[in-house]
Amino acid sequence: MQQEFKDKVVVVTGGANGIGKCIAEQFAKNGSHVCVIDKEPGNHYVGDIADKCVIESFVKYIADNYGRVDYIINNALPIMKGIDDCSYEDFQYALSVGVAAPFYLVKLLIPYLTQGASIINISSSRDRMSQPQTESYTAAKGGIAALTHALAVSLAGSARVNSISPGWIDTQYVEYEGADALQQPVGRVGNPMDIANMVLFLCSEKAGFITGENICIDGGMTKQMIYHADNGWKLEL
């Protein structure tokens, strides 16, 4: 796989920490040129992709320095606020980061996409299930999951477009025991490498027949039916 990714140009949004950082590091280890944008200060392009002008400036930076793009990883994290305390502006900001920015970034980078290009959108298992008070984040993740198959059709012949929906991913690589681990069919909490491995696979030639798909990587949690007092599950009030 290292030879396949050597000298490829990879764009990663929200790549300063967590899953995005892991993805960027794995591409770099495989010899790729990685362009990270994040609003956190660091040795990368610094800017908030909720701002249209920041996206335009970032694209110019990529064009001026590389002139092409092989892979786009839309990973930047929307804010999570619920209906009780989420203002209209908060909600708009979440959608700007989570949906509008990926759309606009891809739109501007279309002229620079190479043959065999791949776009990966990082959604969430919250695109299909929810906890209370998560409306801004959940709406943004649902939006990018839907945006994925729309882009896959529009960009047919130019790029493959897929999304990944992570479940519980501990970005500090904590190894959980007891209920936290056992509630998941695989018996553990996920870590960023679980997502990075899939990103690299979907960008590889091995995934050349996969586009428009959403792949949920959650240890099986969204497939497990839970009923009170059944199979050892109990709701304690």
Side-chain angles (χ1 to χ4, degrees), residues 171-222:
T171 57
Q172 301 301 314
Y173 294 87
V174 174
E175 293 187 12
Y176 291 82
E177 297 179 352
D180 286 335
L182 296 176
Q183 68 183 333
Q184 310 197 52
V186 298
R188 69 173 176 87
V189 171
N191 65 64
M193 279 302 299
D194 293 314
I195 309 305
N197 286 333
M198 180 56 72
V199 169
L200 266 67
F201 169 72
L202 288 174
C203 288
S204 75
E205 294 179 0
K206 292 180 180 179
F209 198 55
I210 304 174
T211 193
E213 283 300 311
N214 175 278
I215 299 173
C216 188
I217 302 178
D218 69 341
M221 285 194 73
T222 55

Side-chain angles (χ1 to χ4, degrees), residues 121-195:
N121 297 323
I122 304 300
S123 182
S124 168
S125 60
R126 293 175 188 269
D127 63 8
R128 68 205 67 190
M129 58 192 298
S130 293
Q131 290 176 304
Q133 303 301 319
T134 62
E135 280 76 12
S136 68
Y137 185 90
T138 299
K141 291 304 186 180
I144 200 171
L147 178 65
T148 296
H149 56 75
L151 287 174
V153 175
S154 294
L155 298 183
S158 298
R160 292 182 299 105
V161 188
N162 293 288
S163 62
I164 297 172
S165 291
W168 183 358
I169 303 296
D170 192 292
T171 57
Q172 301 301 314
Y173 294 87
V174 174
E175 293 187 12
Y176 291 82
E177 297 179 352
D180 286 335
L182 296 176
Q183 68 183 333
Q184 310 197 52
V186 298
R188 69 173 176 87
V189 171
N191 65 64
M193 279 302 299
D194 293 314
I195 309 305

Side-chain angles (χ1 to χ4, degrees), residues 72-170:
I72 303 171
I73 317 300
N74 288 307
N75 168 79
L77 199 64
I79 59 172
M80 183 185 290
K81 287 193 172 185
I83 195 165
D84 287 352
D85 64 353
C86 184
S87 68
Y88 180 82
E89 290 75 19
D90 290 335
F91 197 81
Q92 273 199 321
Y93 180 79
L95 294 183
S96 293
V97 172
V99 185
F103 166 79
Y104 194 48
L105 180 63
V106 169
K107 178 180 175 67
L108 295 184
L109 287 176
I110 287 175
Y112 305 99
L113 293 177
T114 60
Q115 184 175 5
S118 180
I119 299 167
I120 310 296
N121 297 323
I122 304 300
S123 182
S124 168
S125 60
R126 293 175 188 269
D127 63 8
R128 68 205 67 190
M129 58 192 298
S130 293
Q131 290 176 304
Q133 303 301 319
T134 62
E135 280 76 12
S136 68
Y137 185 90
T138 299
K141 291 304 186 180
I144 200 171
L147 178 65
T148 296
H149 56 75
L151 287 174
V153 175
S154 294
L155 298 183
S158 298
R160 292 182 299 105
V161 188
N162 293 288
S163 62
I164 297 172
S165 291
W168 183 358
I169 303 296
D170 192 292

Side-chain angles (χ1 to χ4, degrees), residues 9-20:
V9 177
V10 187
V11 174
V12 182
T13 69
N17 292 292
I19 292 173

